[in-house]
Amino acid sequence: MPSSALTPNLPHNFPPQALGTASAAQPEVLSNTGKVPLPISSIKIGGIDTSHFTQTNNCGAKLAAGASCTINVVSKPTTAGSKSATLIVNDAAGIKSVALSGSGTGSFASKLSLASVNYPTQQIGTTSAVRAVKIANTGTAPLPVTSIVISGTDATDFAQANTCATPVPVGGSCAINVKFAPSTIGPKTATLTVVDGAGMRTVALSGTGATVSSTLAPNSSYDFGLLKVGKASAVQAVTLSNTGGLPLAIKGVKLGGANVSHFSQKNNCVGNLAVGTSCKINVVFKPNALGSQSAQLIVDDAAGPKTIALSGKGQ
């Protein structure tokens, strides 16, 4: 007949344990004291406070005659106060049980540094600077952080990386670094949800995706016509407009081409052009020789370079 024994088969009284931390393991050895293999149906924790104890073992489904295996039991309380449960071993020789007891000490409490994060308008296809949301452990026990996720309508436009993989020590903190990377134009919203030993809290995330764009008017070419050598034409005004959703960085305005010395320009297009505003570039033709003359007005901004062909004739 199958026969087995647990050693020491005595109650396991764990010392008080800080909430969210695991005690040292206390072993029970299961021995096959019979002469035939011992089938093992189950090894589990049962009783009132099952969730506050864990077990691991190397026993497998069957124990050879004369062999033994080890069951390691750990106390890991998640709430304060006394805890009790039972280690239950069910094998072919019958059911054996060992009483478990322990207690949780301390309390979980935490605080998030921000309730919401609103990002500045961000160019689509680019990533914002990091905004850090900190979880501070304001309790009296190490704080386990069990879940950090971003969800909601535009969850894929936000991302997070964090330093909260291990319990946060009392008085310490960990950081959740959140970025905004819009893939399309328009307002975006999502929710950062944090679950730790003290409960669940949320942080509202928002931002707007935009593009950088601009136009020149006129946007193709301008012919000043016939003009006497040495005489300046009337001013031809060219308007640069910011038609995007972000400030437009102006890199430079200049003239180029074969006969650039016959043309001149003045402008007030410097720095960043605010959304919905424009600036002026005044171009003048003053031929210094007979014949056809040509050049280009070249405007380089964050949306890319643009050119307007310029022409005129000295007579």
Side-chain angles (χ1 to χ4, degrees):
M1 284 183 65
S3 63
S4 62
L6 273 179
T7 306
N9 195 17
L10 295 172
H12 288 267
N13 299 312
F14 290 87
Q17 189 71 29
L19 297 185
T21 65
S23 70
Q26 295 194 15
E28 281 285 337
V29 176
L30 175 63
S31 301
N32 182 352
T33 56
K35 297 182 178 181
V36 296
L38 179 74
I40 300 172
S41 300
S42 65
I43 299 173
K44 62 183 182 179
I45 305 287
I48 298 172
D49 300 310
T50 300
S51 63
H52 300 273
F53 299 88
T54 62
Q55 67 82 24
T56 57
N57 67 81
N58 62 349
C59 296
K62 188 178 289 187
L63 197 58
S68 62
C69 60
T70 301
I71 306 164
N72 287 312
V73 185
V74 169
S75 168
K76 190 176 181 181
T78 58
T79 59
S82 298
K83 310 297 174 188
S84 62
T86 304
L87 172 66
I88 303 169
V89 178
N90 187 359
D91 61 35
I95 297 175
K96 303 165 188 65
S97 62
V98 178
L100 309 175
S101 64
S103 63
T105 63
S107 63
F108 290 139
S110 65
K111 183 179 180 181
L112 294 182
S113 61
L114 296 172
S116 63
V117 178
N118 183 24
Y119 291 87
T121 300
Q122 186 73 27
Q123 184 175 351
I124 61 173
T126 66
T127 301
S128 73
V130 165
R131 294 291 301 275
V133 178
K134 291 187 177 181
I135 306 174
N137 182 354
T138 57
T140 58
L143 180 75
V145 180
T146 55
S147 176
I148 299 173
V149 296
I150 294 175
S151 61
T153 305
D154 304 302
T156 57
D157 292 299
F158 299 85
Q160 66 86 18
N162 66 80
T163 60
C164 305
T166 57
V168 182
V170 175
S173 65
C174 65
I176 308 167
N177 294 317
V178 188
K179 294 181 180 181
F180 177 45
S183 57
T184 58
I185 297 171
K188 310 294 178 186
T189 60
T191 302
L192 173 69
T193 301
V194 177
V195 180
D196 60 32
M200 182 181 77
R201 283 170 302 285
T202 60
V203 178
L205 307 176
S206 61
T208 299
T211 57
V212 176
S213 64
S214 62
T215 60
L216 280 178
N219 62 3
S220 55
S221 63
Y222 186 78
D223 186 357
F224 286 89
L226 291 169
L227 201 65
K228 287 185 178 181
V229 172
K231 183 177 180 180
S233 70
V235 168
Q236 170 60 37
V238 177
T239 301
L240 173 64
S241 299
N242 181 353
T243 56
L246 290 163
L248 180 72
I250 300 173
K251 301 176 182 178
V253 178
K254 65 180 181 179
L255 295 169
N259 309 121
V260 66
S261 65
H262 300 268
F263 300 84
S264 63
Q265 65 84 19
K266 292 182 178 180
N267 69 82
N268 63 349
C269 301
V270 294
N272 291 328
L273 195 59
V275 175
T277 65
S278 61
C279 61
K280 296 291 185 181
I281 306 164
N282 293 321
V283 185
V284 171
F285 174 51
K286 186 179 180 180
N288 54 38
L290 297 173
S292 297
Q293 314 297 338
S294 64
Q296 290 180 323
L297 173 66
I298 304 168
V299 178
D300 190 11
D301 60 41
K306 304 165 188 63
T307 60
I308 294 179
L310 307 173
S311 60
K313 191 171 184 179
Q315 65 175 6

